[in-house]
Amino acid sequence: MTRNIQVSELDRRAVEDQQVEIVERKGIGHPDSICDGIAESVSRALSQLYLERVGKVLHYNTDETQLAAGRAAPKYGGGEVIEPIYILLVGRATKTYEHEGEVLELPVDSTALAAAREYLEENIPELEYGTDVVIDVRLGEGSGDLQDVFGEDEVQVPMANDTSYGVGHAPLTETETIVKEIENGLNGEYAAENPEVGPDVKVMGKREGDRIDVTVAVAMVDAYVDDLDAYKRAVAEVRAYAEELAHEYTDREVGVEVNTADDYEEGSVYLTVTGTSAEQGDDGSVGRGNRANGLITPNRPMSMEATSGKNPVNHIGKIYNLLSTATAEAVVEDVDGIRDLQMRLLSQIGRPIDEPHVADAQIVVDDDIDVADIEDDVTEIVDEKLANVTEITREAIEGEISTF
Amino acid sequence: MTRNIQVSELDRRAVEDQQVEIVERKGIGHPDSICDGIAESVSRALSQLYLERVGKVLHYNTDETQLAAGRAAPKYGGGEVIEPIYILLVGRATKTYEHEGEVLELPVDSTALAAAREYLEENIPELEYGTDVVIDVRLGEGSGDLQDVFGEDEVQVPMANDTSYGVGHAPLTETETIVKEIENGLNGEYAAENPEVGPDVKVMGKREGDRIDVTVAVAMVDAYVDDLDAYKRAVAEVRAYAEELAHEYTDREVGVEVNTADDYEEGSVYLTVTGTSAEQGDDGSVGRGNRANGLITPNRPMSMEATSGKNPVNHIGKIYNLLSTATAEAVVEDVDGIRDLQMRLLSQIGRPIDEPHVADAQIVVDDDIDVADIEDDVTEIVDEKLANVTEITREAIEGEISTF
Amino acid sequence: MTRNIQVSELDRRAVEDQQVEIVERKGIGHPDSICDGIAESVSRALSQLYLERVGKVLHYNTDETQLAAGRAAPKYGGGEVIEPIYILLVGRATKTYEHEGEVLELPVDSTALAAAREYLEENIPELEYGTDVVIDVRLGEGSGDLQDVFGEDEVQVPMANDTSYGVGHAPLTETETIVKEIENGLNGEYAAENPEVGPDVKVMGKREGDRIDVTVAVAMVDAYVDDLDAYKRAVAEVRAYAEELAHEYTDREVGVEVNTADDYEEGSVYLTVTGTSAEQGDDGSVGRGNRANGLITPNRPMSMEATSGKNPVNHIGKIYNLLSTATAEAVVEDVDGIRDLQMRLLSQIGRPIDEPHVADAQIVVDDDIDVADIEDDVTEIVDEKLANVTEITREAIEGEISTF
Amino acid sequence: MTRNIQVSELDRRAVEDQQVEIVERKGIGHPDSICDGIAESVSRALSQLYLERVGKVLHYNTDETQLAAGRAAPKYGGGEVIEPIYILLVGRATKTYEHEGEVLELPVDSTALAAAREYLEENIPELEYGTDVVIDVRLGEGSGDLQDVFGEDEVQVPMANDTSYGVGHAPLTETETIVKEIENGLNGEYAAENPEVGPDVKVMGKREGDRIDVTVAVAMVDAYVDDLDAYKRAVAEVRAYAEELAHEYTDREVGVEVNTADDYEEGSVYLTVTGTSAEQGDDGSVGRGNRANGLITPNRPMSMEATSGKNPVNHIGKIYNLLSTATAEAVVEDVDGIRDLQMRLLSQIGRPIDEPHVADAQIVVDDDIDVADIEDDVTEIVDEKLANVTEITREAIEGEISTF
């Protein structure tokens, strides 16, 4: 078997070298990201349930979580949720499994609810389950098509049953890196020390030439903010942190603004009870926010695929979006001289998914390099990643890879 | 003011002396009782919320909880819930309160959800909230009619705004006592020692002449029952306990049967994961089970009123049903020679509720007594209970009185 | 086989002769009755579906419809519904049927929804389906126990699987008759001529000695009422109609009041967009209103059973409540001299339901009659009704008998 | 005022000239498109309601419709829906409006439900409302920010309150045109003559060099398909129609395949009761399918914005996505020599939306043309379209422009 891997020069400038660049990341507490996160955690839980009970992953897709915003009354020192956020888990799953004449009932709904609850408790800790948020479930019976693909027997590569498309890129531009790192930092080390920073952090980066403007919106948690002065201090500290972090990744000029919609005169600030705007007025759903690589990058080709919640064993759109990004990253890590790599995977119906119709690595090289010089190295890495396509499945099931 | 209190001879035999008597009690874990319990706990929580926030109880009624059964797979040693029980809190409540030009938002939905959750955790402890049961809420905006009735200012007696009716009786017959005590005992001291007994205990008593037959249905909790032998032992022990308890309250002949629908040959037993039949197949709603005195007594007049969840400040049906029972009990405690007392209260629209259209005490006296002899004593007690009608409201809000 | 039929003298005065009597009927447009009506129409539709598809009625119970009130803005000449009424159909039904190795899927949910919609369109015609009311469905899978009871094969009498109780009476007292006839008349001939009268008619009758007071609450439909004067005229005409009707059934003194809660000064009148209070603030559920004979009669023993929506083939509570009433009526029609007949049926677990543990006809006879004189006649009729118990099932399925 | 309009050469080949091109369109009956269509029809209905009642459009966003698939049993000649599709309308809307001291209640929920129903009846006619589909609504109270922007007073251009981005292009490539026209044709003239073609038509076009492969999936409506032979004929006719249509728009080689997942041996065909896969297994939500120009074009920059359901008066993402496409089309219509035009609009917070931060027209010109030659013409048209930005709002409200 020879895989159809094509390596060519990308017919545009590297995004890093374009005049205008826009990048966005919705943090884990953004209503759309909450839905992505729940959908993916439910997916993981179902995969694990199936592996545990029947030794292989059965048919499911849980990529349709819908969040309807609640109503809250935040106030300095601690307010309260008035009406709960409502989250509906939607999708398909296999609920019974027949084996040697016996019918096994699988606790699909309970497992999904438990996964969603645990996800929220871990990621949006200020949100009290059962009063601040109600989770309901409508998982229809799946089609029952089983996939003997990922389980106790030898792992087989599944067939593509759809024409689907995945796209990824590497390396991240400075602006992309900054947007991603600021969100990660605020929701990680910074929040650990500064509990007033809620998980609903949204970062928008705009670069024009050599100036990068970063706009950060942070849902402040009212219980940890005593008054307007404390709020202003919190905003200033976030700004300082973000600015410092940005400078670690660029020598360009950087401007950072935080919570620009605030109007102190009017007393209008971004204060929340739970650290997410879902508590008041912002609905959310799966697949509306970050792409599989964690960013929204309108300068680049993107897939519309909602990756989160899809079955990682046989859903080609999910696998190819995750794999194209992982492949691009692997190539860039090992091969020098690549300024921008765009990796595309297009499936071929009826063929194993490790044999795509085309695997297309388009590259902008550094000035002193020629694509032909690195073609073989690139091909080899792409080939190896395709050969190990089921590794993506394993990582998704074990939660080692993020989908949003 | 003179209250219209009538004391007369009841024109039938005491229920204790009738040939056939039927009595039923649905235990706290029965799906209908779960709804009653939740509805009443939500009512208490809202009363307390209003008292705390605005100093008086505002308009609400939360008497319409609906439970749709789940799906479970019990097994000896411990099974699991497959699909969660779905509980919908329905009713009306005042969500905003205007005071001196400011509008106060009241966390009605969150409070209701919290109360429901706490009620379940306390009373159906094996039911894991959020996986075994989903609670949603649809509380409409109340009509906004406020009642300056029960709060920080002096307590006023509200006006009757409806023609309504309450009925109670005392003393309990032997059969009634036995039915009530067996459920209380099993769900109290017995369950404390025997965790296999779930809260869904249903007791039916049937007396024909001097023979009392008691049928008990107990939802056994599978985690505490290792196998069929253990199950049989558990059933036998419940039977022994119930029988012994029954004999404390009667000298009549007593027969007790437990879980009569079991079929050991078929392996069909009353085994549950959570201790309630709501986990599989038994729906429930408010007002379909026990009357306000905790019993279903088809030999006696009963009110159709769903007492649980009604506003205890101004809902006449609730107040009169609780008050008629409390009054009957008070009379029987203080006045000797009463074999059966049926207390009826009928409201008079537009008059304070302590001045009913008629308060009607109908009595079967012991052979050696004449109703005329005790008329004054009875009247006095009834009068006093009416005068202190708001005491019922207080007891309901503080949870000192049960409604089911 | 000899059935255990007992005929005895009732140990109390006929209700007609008691000093105080209270009777109530919630009309078909009352929120509780809407739920009863929908539940029973769903039950009929499922019975018919099963008969048509598999030749017999399968397991189901659909007796748990919940209605959460909407929000409306009525005004003279025609207002509008703001938020829809929400109705949730809850219950169990058999969704698949295996026959000769093939699995037949039964459109249980669609059938239930269609039945509910048709019921509303026929009975609450001003309620526009899909905008004024949303109907959702949660019918769990039934236990799958089949009943070869009522279908294409010879009809068999089912076994009692529960201790259950039914009670009925005849004849109706004057007050009962008046209450029933006024609701029937207003919702029938009167509404046909006077479209301003909505189906939510509630009638309360109270008799003290020889004075009958009737209170009627009628939800007026705003599109047919131009202004306050027109409203007053409508109220006056209902009063006149009800009063005239009442005099057809009694020589006692009668007072009628209509919409007593109105306050013309305040502009507070009982005006609705759709003819039911469910549009604004009044929730409803099954089994909270009229008993199986269409009345609420606290002077008499009543069953707590929610008859509407229960499976008419094998649900003993439903069958015995309908049968006891039908039997009482049949006896009174054929046997002279009965002033009050109370018919009770008590099931015997494990026996065919035409062989109750006891069928107990308690009678108050006219002064010139002795119970012993009519005992044989009564027994014969009761026996015949029991022998034809499945006739009740047929009537329920074909909608010839009302359950509320 | 001078608008910041930039015209430059696009630094890549025209998509028409790239080696590989992928284009997709989900037809109006696809579950995601159903959600888009409902969301947008609800948006139009609310805009019109507000204009009619208060003379201007109030705050709302209804861009979160969620569809949970039903369950159906299609069969040749006509099958049936077993479990209804469940659609939940989610979003925010202003429910009350205070004007001169009076509070006006606005029938937001009823209007949304009516719009959704009418949309379905018109576009998915085989779907019987109320049995095949249940629609519920959860529209939270909007923030109450009013926009005096579009109404009876002079129309004002609103301020940008967010950094947002819109992108459009023109002309369509051959592949894009073919994909769009096939869907339009099948759902238009073809379906009018061939009722077996349901509205759930999905078209995928893939061009490699000069070969275009089109894959069409059509949900056939079972009532109009008598047997497998008829089905095969229907598929063949769709193929012939699509192929002929394709050749109208290209001279390239074209291959068309229809319903490629069918397996006639297994009897597995794409047969439906209602003409949409939402009846069985395929969930949907807003913003997951076509972009604002009706296509999914991974070769081009796309916005993640879910345009459908957003408020067309003040939602910058919606306006800029629609406007960039309309502008690109207008430029290409008037200016010769443009092979590919990519139009981007980036908002500037706090400035009127007709003054974007940058309006960026990137062009690939024909070989014989220079960008500088047409710069002025392009600038003029872009300027005019921006000046008339509120025209987009008007068209969206009146339904003259599609969002998906």
Side-chain angles (χ1 to χ4, degrees), chain D residues 226-289:
Chain D
D226 283 342
D227 50 26
L228 180 56
D229 283 342
Y231 179 85
K232 288 179 185 173
R233 275 196 307 277
V235 165
E237 285 163 19
V238 166
R239 212 195 63 79
Y241 172 80
E243 200 169 61
E244 194 181 318
L245 199 63
H247 283 303
E248 291 182 26
Y249 297 99
T250 189
D251 294 327
R252 285 168 165 138
E253 192 185 353
V254 174
V256 175
E257 292 204 85
V258 177
N259 291 2
T260 50
D262 287 351
D263 183 337
Y264 295 155
E265 306 276 300
E266 296 281 329
S268 165
V269 294
Y270 193 1
L271 200 65
T272 64
V273 179
T274 62
T276 171
S277 62
E279 72 177 35
Q280 171 91 23
D282 279 3
D283 308 308
S285 56
V286 176
R288 294 264 292 253

Side-chain angles (χ1 to χ4, degrees), chain C residues 94-117:
Chain C
T94 308
K95 297 185 171 184
T96 54
Y97 181 68
E98 209 173 329
H99 184 59
E100 297 180 357
E102 264 192 89
V103 174
L104 188 66
E105 287 207 87
L106 295 156
V108 160
D109 285 354
S110 309
T111 299
L113 286 167
R117 182 182 62 181

Side-chain angles (χ1 to χ4, degrees), chain C residues 282-355:
Chain C
D282 279 3
D283 308 307
S285 54
V286 175
R288 294 263 292 253
N290 307 327
R291 298 299 88 197
N293 69 344
L295 295 170
I296 302 170
T297 53
N299 289 62
R300 302 179 181 275
M302 290 184 285
S303 164
M304 282 299 110
E305 194 70 55
T307 307
S308 303
K310 291 271 171 45
N311 191 319
V313 169
N314 68 348
H315 195 284
I316 262 201
K318 178 170 194 158
I319 294 168
Y320 273 15
N321 272 296
L322 292 171
L323 182 62
S324 58
T325 299
T327 301
E329 287 168 355
V331 168
V332 166
E333 191 172 357
D334 276 9
V335 181
D336 290 334
I338 296 178
R339 190 147 180 81
D340 201 344
L341 164 60
Q342 176 174 299
M343 184 74 222
R344 297 191 301 186
L345 296 169
L346 181 63
S347 69
Q348 181 162 22
I349 295 184
R351 297 292 306 158
I353 62 172
D354 67 333
E355 298 176 38

Side-chain angles (χ1 to χ4, degrees), chain A residues 50-86:
Chain A
Y50 291 137
L51 285 172
E52 210 174 278
R53 298 283 175 102
V54 307
K56 59 187 167 189
V57 175
L58 302 180
H59 178 76
Y60 73 84
N61 275 310
T62 57
D63 60 325
E64 295 271 353
T65 298
Q66 174 70 50
L67 181 153
R71 196 175 172 86
K75 69 173 178 201
Y76 292 116
E80 67 194 342
V81 172
I82 301 288
E83 286 177 25
I85 297 164
Y86 174 79

Side-chain angles (χ1 to χ4, degrees), chain A residues 329-341:
Chain A
E329 288 168 354
V331 169
V332 166
E333 193 171 355
D334 277 11
V335 181
D336 289 334
I338 297 178
R339 187 145 183 84
D340 201 344
L341 165 59

Side-chain angles (χ1 to χ4, degrees), chain D residues 91-240:
Chain D
R92 320 275 106 206
T94 307
K95 298 187 171 182
T96 54
Y97 182 68
E98 209 172 330
H99 184 60
E100 296 181 358
E102 263 192 272
V103 175
L104 186 65
E105 287 206 87
L106 295 156
V108 160
D109 285 353
S110 309
T111 299
L113 286 167
R117 182 182 63 182
E118 281 157 27
Y119 181 83
L120 285 181
E121 280 168 358
E122 195 167 320
N123 291 286
I124 324 283
E126 301 287 337
L127 202 60
E128 197 185 345
Y129 187 80
T131 45
D132 298 346
V133 59
V134 165
I135 307 186
D136 200 1
V137 58
R138 286 198 184 237
L139 294 180
E141 184 69 40
S143 72
D145 298 311
L146 304 187
Q147 289 284 349
D148 274 320
V149 157
F150 196 87
E152 56 196 12
D153 306 327
E154 77 278 32
V155 170
Q156 291 169 26
V157 175
M159 296 294 154
N161 57 2
D162 202 358
T163 298
S164 195
Y165 174 87
V167 62
H169 74 274
L172 297 188
T173 63
E174 286 178 5
T175 312
E176 290 169 341
T177 305
I178 286 168
V179 165
K180 199 163 187 179
E181 292 299 327
I182 288 177
E183 192 275 332
N184 287 347
L186 285 173
N187 261 321
E189 56 176 26
Y190 191 85
E193 300 290 315
N194 300 275
E196 72 275 14
V197 166
D200 191 350
V201 170
K202 186 171 152 186
V203 187
M204 164 80 81
K206 184 185 66 183
R207 182 178 57 73
E208 288 190 82
D210 280 336
R211 156 115 195 159
I212 301 173
D213 281 296
V214 180
T215 310
V216 183
V218 175
M220 297 291 180
V221 179
D222 59 7
Y224 305 106
V225 183
D226 283 342
D227 50 26
L228 180 56
D229 283 342
Y231 179 85
K232 288 179 185 173
R233 275 196 307 277
V235 165
E237 285 163 19
V238 166
R239 212 195 63 79

Side-chain angles (χ1 to χ4, degrees), chain C residues 325-393:
Chain C
T325 299
T327 301
E329 287 168 355
V331 168
V332 166
E333 191 172 357
D334 276 9
V335 181
D336 290 334
I338 296 178
R339 190 147 180 81
D340 201 344
L341 164 60
Q342 176 174 299
M343 184 74 222
R344 297 191 301 186
L345 296 169
L346 181 63
S347 69
Q348 181 162 22
I349 295 184
R351 297 292 306 158
I353 62 172
D354 67 333
E355 298 176 38
H357 183 75
V358 60
D360 181 14
Q362 295 175 295
I363 302 177
V364 181
V365 287
D366 290 341
D367 288 347
D368 54 344
I369 301 265
D370 200 86
V371 169
D373 301 341
I374 58 174
E375 186 172 345
D376 287 355
D377 292 350
V378 171
T379 301
E380 189 180 340
I381 297 171
V382 173
D383 191 68
E384 192 201 322
K385 293 300 270 186
L386 281 167
N388 293 302
V389 59
T390 58
E391 182 65 6
I392 289 289
T393 299

